[in-house]
Amino acid sequence: MAAQSMATTAATTAAARRRARAGARAGARTGARTGAVGIVAAALAVTAFAAPAQADTRGPDRTDRAATADRTDGTAAAAPERRHRATQRAMDAIVAGGIPGVTGQVRDRHGVWKGTAGVGNRETGAPRGKNDRFRIASITKTFVATVLLQLEAEGRLDLDDTVDRHLPGLVTGNGHDGTRITVRQLLSHTSGVFDFYGDEGYARKYMLAEGFLKHRYDYRSPQAAIAVAMSHPPVFAPGSDYAYSNTNYVLAALVMEKVTGDTYENQVRERIIKPLGLRSTTVPGNDSSMPRPSSRAYSKLSFDPAATTIHDATLQNASQSWADGDMISSAADLNRFHSALMRGKLLPGKQLTAMKTPSAQSVARGEDYGLGLTRVRTGCGTELFGHSGGWIGSLSYALTTEDGRHALAYNLNGDWSAAGMQELVEAEYCGTAPAAAGKRTDAGAGAGADQGPVKGPVKGPVKVFGSGRPTR
């Protein structure tokens, strides 16, 4: 969710499964592995549904007329299409694999290229829009981490402050101890705090079909998410391991609010969105609508891999993935943000270096996760930085080279398969042709995948793919 993006959770590693069998509670089994990719295979229902009566404030999709006449370096519009032919084919392959639609943008030395595939509305057949806005899920975490690193640079907090110093008494119970957990450990997912999405009751209420359709417009407070996490034991002692937990970023945003005396939403707007002119980026708070232009978002709302019913999940209260995955943006804005971040426009060198540097614990897990940012190496050796995210109805990825000059961001408006997502990254940065539809693993993440199709009953949100590495 998240991973995720929503807020997002991760598929269990073999080591985490061994720990779970040794005594961790069932929710912890789903815990802990997402790294770059915050993808929730949040999904899949057995029954058809009628959405609760509510006005659709999203409005119709709008296409970008200017995009049909792109010019780069004075060349004809066909030139960028040739340069990104493999990327377009990778988008087409994702749709051929069963996802309704894909939209994405590339910014490089030649200019801007925008691509789409498939549909943005399954009922009308309207195509995905080149300027679509979408729920970015766990890519939100990079925004949160950036603000906290800015606060450190300003001397308003120390990343090695304990959580209890800023939020006394909040992180306690079942072995959790906020006096032993630091802000840095929250941002790096080395705190050991239980991921609230791994709680079976929470998943039934907010993610599976019956609960989601009943509660999709409900407000959920950050404190409620923390309370769910505190009802479970931690997955390890603080600083001793790496395990992706969306609870970390709910806590991090609460620290932000305590230090600044301001809301998390306003801090992100004033420090990042407004200075960079991210006009398509919002922090929606207690809102269930989608801004225009956007496409519909689809989910199966089940953990059953055999489920076939697809639901329209476009409208949902963003508070249910507050600060760990609630933001809405566009591919263009995500590219602008990541490029500015890498070029030092948002952070001093010390903080940017810390953000990009993976923790030893995450490296040992094969994740290469720093502070709200992951490092990815493609099959052709290109080193990238960014994040991915998945939440109900939306899977996204945003990456850029370290100099910020070649950025890619894209979104899928279906959440039940990440097949082809890593191939799309390889296509853009290495020019490799995607595998034929149906010949990939369901994870679609090459050697970096956690697992293929989810097998058997799953007791919590499951990430489709993990390390964010297209190949090894």
Side-chain angles (χ1 to χ4, degrees), residues 15-74:
R17 285 194 292 268
R18 288 194 294 271
R19 288 197 299 272
R21 286 193 293 268
R25 296 185 182 180
R29 287 184 207 138
T30 64
R33 199 175 175 267
T34 111
V37 192
I39 299 288
V40 176
L44 328 227
V46 194
T47 58
F49 80 102
Q54 173 140 334
D56 183 349
T57 59
R58 181 190 56 85
D61 182 36
R62 308 281 178 84
T63 57
D64 176 20
R65 296 176 182 175
T68 62
D70 271 343
R71 298 291 187 272
T72 34
D73 296 340

Side-chain angles (χ1 to χ4, degrees), residues 48-319:
F49 80 102
Q54 173 140 334
D56 183 349
T57 59
R58 181 190 56 85
D61 182 36
R62 308 281 178 84
T63 57
D64 176 20
R65 296 176 182 175
T68 62
D70 271 343
R71 298 291 187 272
T72 34
D73 296 340
T75 62
E81 301 307 321
R82 285 195 297 269
R83 283 194 296 272
H84 303 286
R85 186 173 295 161
T87 308
Q88 181 63 59
R89 288 176 177 171
M91 289 183 174
D92 295 337
I94 290 172
V95 172
I99 291 295
V102 183
T103 187
Q105 189 205 79
V106 174
R107 292 174 62 97
D108 60 17
R109 63 187 180 87
H110 299 288
V112 172
W113 174 83
K114 300 178 183 182
T116 65
V119 298
N121 188 314
R122 296 178 72 241
E123 291 187 5
T124 67
R128 284 288 324 240
K130 290 185 177 180
N131 289 331
D132 269 358
R133 301 180 187 187
F134 45 85
R135 300 184 191 277
I136 67 172
S138 282
I139 300 173
T140 299
K141 292 178 174 67
T142 310
F143 288 79
V144 172
T146 299
V147 173
L148 284 164
L149 285 160
Q150 288 177 342
L151 293 171
E152 182 194 51
E154 295 164 8
R156 301 177 68 179
L157 64 76
D158 189 317
L159 292 190
D160 293 317
D161 290 345
T162 66
V163 174
D164 205 66
R165 175 175 177 178
H166 299 287
L167 305 172
L170 183 61
V171 180
T172 186
N174 286 303
H176 287 99
D177 184 356
T179 67
R180 299 177 58 210
I181 297 170
T182 67
V183 177
R184 188 185 307 276
Q185 289 168 346
L186 296 180
L187 298 183
S188 62
H189 295 296
T190 57
S191 71
V193 172
F194 183 88
D195 190 336
F196 64 92
Y197 287 114
D199 180 85
E200 294 181 28
Y202 189 94
R204 284 195 303 270
K205 180 175 181 179
Y206 290 112
M207 303 181 73
L208 299 181
E210 183 177 358
F212 174 82
L213 298 175
K214 181 178 179 180
H215 297 286
R216 67 192 299 174
Y217 301 118
D218 291 0
Y219 169 74
R220 188 223 69 195
S221 71
Q223 290 75 17
I226 302 303
V228 170
M230 295 303 104
S231 71
H232 295 265
V235 295
F236 52 75
S240 66
D241 205 343
Y242 167 90
Y244 192 97
S245 172
N246 292 282
T247 312
N248 286 324
Y249 275 74
V250 177
L251 288 167
L254 290 172
V255 169
M256 182 197 305
E257 293 192 334
K258 188 66 177 290
V259 169
T260 63
D262 194 8
T263 65
Y264 137 72
E265 292 89 348
N266 197 52
Q267 284 291 301
V268 170
R269 278 192 292 266
E270 295 299 319
R271 290 173 172 271
I272 301 175
I273 295 174
K274 289 183 179 179
L276 295 183
L278 305 181
R279 295 180 179 85
S280 296
T281 302
T282 57
V283 193
N286 182 23
D287 190 355
S288 301
S289 63
M290 281 295 294
R292 292 190 289 254
S294 58
S295 293
R296 309 306 295 182
Y298 298 100
S299 178
K300 294 183 179 178
L301 297 174
S302 169
F303 299 131
D304 179 0
T308 58
T309 302
I310 297 174
H311 303 286
D312 187 321
T314 307
L315 304 181
Q316 48 184 286
N317 196 308
S319 69

